């Protein structure tokens, strides 16, 4: 894709039209697109949305200027099963060291979820929460008052009919110390998960997200043992059939999930019966210049990243969920995020879905880069430009 974009840039400077055909999986159309609108043999320019069309496997090599939607690749249906948004608030004040300033915690407004489901056709929410908010110390019983506040959000999510991801948002740490590797023991984290799983064992919509964005973990195999302890605890608590999301090292980044050994290590995690049913890899990927999700502009659609990981997932016979991705409400992010969603849809056999970051308790006055909070006027909701362009489903 980088080569194609370079050719397009030169052609624009020279005032000429690019005649080269688009490579497999490259962009071939969309609002503002000036490159080739035809694809190499065996691929057809396939419409995703007004901002992005992509060269996907097909019998035609050329398309009209208004291509029509078709199915995905690799056995995918052309649309991921799940699409939704994070509801931030109970994770506020959490540093990447796994230390939380409780004074920053805010309660996400439940009404947003009804809007996203009813108006935008979303069907999944991730509900991040600090471990310190749930328990006073590792291994303790749930803090009844705090858990009641969190459970109110969970119940509101369940009431929409959507899937609801419970996400402990601690970066594999408690106050700077890594779980299972010098910090809290595996059993202490597993104890929290056992309590949570027992609360929601009868709720098929619940998905358990073991841990948000582990990073700088000395041993990925030791981390896989920590994940295994949590899976075992969840299943023994009676949640025997729900999905469990397995996070890797390196902020569980999609680009490094194979190269840093996360996929290989987490493949060894099993259910009580030895199967891997509903054990789903948890991956993240942002689109800004350093992949941090802290800038308003985007520079990539991550198409190659997700296509490459999709191949590895197919080889392993496994699936993944993208539980964090997104960008600012800018034209560059509209272009690139729509590309990314198209790539996930095209590989929907291995990507179950995506959850954008983030709505919830963010305040518009904060000028947060990735704010997806809709505004409400009476019974009318207005979404941000990025939600309208790329995340809303029709």
């Amino acid at each position: 894709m980088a080569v194609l974009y370079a050719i397009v840039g030169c052609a624009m400077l020279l005032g000429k039209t690019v005649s080269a055909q688009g490579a497999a999986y490259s962009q071939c159309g969309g609002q503002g697109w000036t490159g080739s609108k035809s694809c190499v043999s065996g691929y057809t320019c396939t419409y995703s949305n007004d901002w992005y069309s992509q060269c996907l496997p097909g019998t035609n090599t050329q398309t009209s200027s208004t291509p029509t939607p078709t199915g995905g690749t690799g056995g995918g249906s052309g649309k991921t099963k799940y699409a939704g948004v994070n509801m931030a608030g109970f994770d506020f004040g959490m540093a990447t060291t796994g230390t939380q300033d409780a004074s920053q915690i805010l309660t996400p407004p439940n009404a947003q979820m009804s809007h996203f489901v009813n108006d935008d056709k979303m069907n999944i929410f991730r509900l991040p929460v600090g471990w310190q908010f749930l328990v006073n110390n590792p291994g303790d019983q749930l803090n009844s008052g705090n858990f009641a506040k969190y459970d109110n959000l969970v119940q509101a999510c369940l009431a929409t009919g959507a899937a609801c991801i419970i996400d402990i948002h601690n970066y594999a740490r408690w106050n700077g110390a890594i779980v299972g590797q010098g910090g809290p023991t595996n059993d202490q984290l597993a104890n929290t998960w056992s309590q949570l799983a027992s609360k929601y064992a009868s709720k098929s919509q619940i998905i358990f997200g073991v841990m948000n964005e582990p990073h700088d973990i000395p041993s990925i195999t030791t981390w896989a043992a920590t994940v295994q302890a949590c899976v075992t605890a969840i299943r023994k608590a009676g949640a025997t059939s729900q999905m469990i999301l397995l996070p890797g090292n390196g902020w569980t980044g999609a680009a490094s999930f194979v190269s840093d050994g996360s996929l290989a290590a987490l493949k060894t995690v099993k259910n009580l019966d030895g199967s891997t049913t509903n054990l789903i890899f948890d991956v993240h990927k942002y689109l800004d210049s350093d992949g941090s999700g802290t800038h308003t502009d985007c520079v990539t659609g991550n198409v190659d990243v997700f296509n490459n990981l999709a191949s590895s997932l197919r080889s392993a016979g496994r699936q993944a969920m993208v539980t964090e991705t997104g960008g600012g409400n800018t034209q560059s992010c509209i272009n690139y995020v729509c590309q990314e969603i198209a790539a996930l849809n095209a590989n929907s056999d291995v990507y179950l879905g995506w959850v954008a970051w983030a709505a919830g308790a963010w305040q518009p006055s904060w000028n947060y880069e990735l704010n997806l909070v809709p505004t409400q006027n009476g019974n009318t909701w207005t979404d941000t430009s990025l939600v309208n362009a790329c995340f809303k489903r029709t």
Side-chain angles (χ1 to χ4, degrees):
M1 289 181 64
V3 173
L4 179 60
Y5 293 151
I7 294 172
V8 171
C10 291
M12 291 176 66
L13 288 174
L14 294 173
K16 296 180 180 179
T17 301
V18 177
S19 59
Q21 290 181 316
Y25 301 103
S26 65
Q27 184 175 2
C28 57
Q31 183 173 308
W33 176 247
T34 58
S36 175
K37 294 184 179 180
S38 65
C39 303
V40 295
S41 178
Y43 291 79
T44 186
C45 190
T46 304
Y47 174 90
S48 176
N49 52 55
D50 290 345
W51 289 266
Y52 188 69
S53 295
Q54 183 181 19
C55 291
L56 298 178
T59 56
N60 299 323
T61 59
Q62 184 109 9
T63 182
S64 67
S65 58
T66 55
T68 56
T70 66
T73 65
S77 65
K79 182 180 288 188
T80 60
K81 180 177 181 179
Y82 296 104
V85 67
N86 281 263
M87 297 295 295
F90 286 119
D91 57 307
F92 284 177
M94 180 62 67
T96 58
T97 58
T99 301
Q100 187 168 30
D101 177 0
S103 69
Q104 298 186 40
I105 293 171
L106 295 176
T107 301
N110 294 341
Q112 286 183 25
M113 292 185 287
S114 295
H115 155 67
F116 284 126
V117 169
N118 295 331
D119 300 333
D120 296 341
K121 310 307 177 186
M122 294 184 181
N123 62 357
I124 191 169
F125 298 99
R126 184 168 177 255
L127 313 176
V129 62
W131 194 7
Q132 287 92 332
F133 186 76
L134 295 174
V135 299
N136 296 331
N137 294 288
D140 283 359
Q141 292 299 297
L142 294 173
N143 180 306
S144 59
N146 285 352
F147 174 71
K149 295 175 184 177
Y150 182 68
D151 181 59
N152 179 268
L153 180 68
V154 175
Q155 296 302 326
C157 179
L158 291 171
T160 68
C164 309
I165 302 172
I166 299 175
D167 159 52
I168 294 182
H169 210 78
N170 276 66
Y171 304 92
R173 288 158 167 78
W174 177 285
N175 295 345
I178 299 173
V179 182
Q181 300 186 49
T185 65
N186 291 349
D187 287 345
Q188 288 174 321
L189 179 58
N191 175 268
T192 300
W193 274 117
S194 179
Q195 294 180 70
L196 291 169
S198 67
K199 300 285 187 182
Y200 302 115
S202 64
K203 305 297 184 182
S204 60
Q205 295 161 245
I206 291 290
I207 299 172
F208 302 99
V210 169
M211 181 60 65
N212 176 68
E213 294 188 346
H215 65 90
D216 300 294
I217 305 297
S219 170
I220 185 60
T221 55
T222 303
W223 172 247
T226 300
V227 175
Q228 178 66 73
C230 295
V231 169
T232 299
I234 291 168
R235 296 306 191 210
K236 284 185 174 180
T240 57
S241 60
Q242 292 96 329
M243 281 191 282
I244 303 177
L245 304 179
L246 315 181
N249 203 355
W251 315 90
T252 202
S256 60
F257 203 78
V258 175
S259 61
D260 69 10
S262 293
L263 189 150
L266 293 171
K267 278 174 58 177
T268 67
V269 176
K270 300 290 195 298
N271 292 310
L272 298 178
D273 62 1
S275 72
T276 58
T277 303
N278 280 335
L279 300 183
I280 308 301
F281 298 134
D282 188 354
V283 297
H284 293 179
K285 194 74 181 78
Y286 286 99
L287 298 83
D288 51 356
S289 57
D290 59 4
S292 65
T294 60
H295 303 90
T296 55
D297 287 311
C298 297
V299 300
T300 176
N302 293 320
V303 174
D304 289 341
V305 167
F306 283 117
N307 283 340
N308 291 338
L309 179 57
S311 296
S312 296
L313 290 169
R314 291 188 189 101
S315 296
R318 301 296 292 270
Q319 293 176 309
M321 182 89 76
V322 183
T323 61
E324 276 191 35
T325 190
N329 292 286
T330 60
Q331 188 59 51
S332 65
C333 287
I334 288 173
N335 292 339
Y336 284 120
V337 170
C338 286
Q339 289 182 25
E340 180 180 72
I341 298 302
L344 295 173
N345 286 337
N347 293 288
S348 59
D349 58 319
V350 289
Y351 294 120
L352 287 175
W354 48 265
V355 193
W357 187 267
W362 302 110
Q363 303 301 322
S365 61
W366 292 356
N367 198 30
Y368 174 61
E369 291 87 350
L370 274 59
N371 191 342
L372 300 181
V373 174
T375 56
Q376 184 179 16
N377 184 7
N379 294 324
T380 301
W381 292 85
T382 302
D383 284 311
T384 68
S385 59
L386 187 62
V387 170
N388 270 321
C390 302
F391 293 140
K392 178 184 292 188
R393 284 194 157 181
T394 57

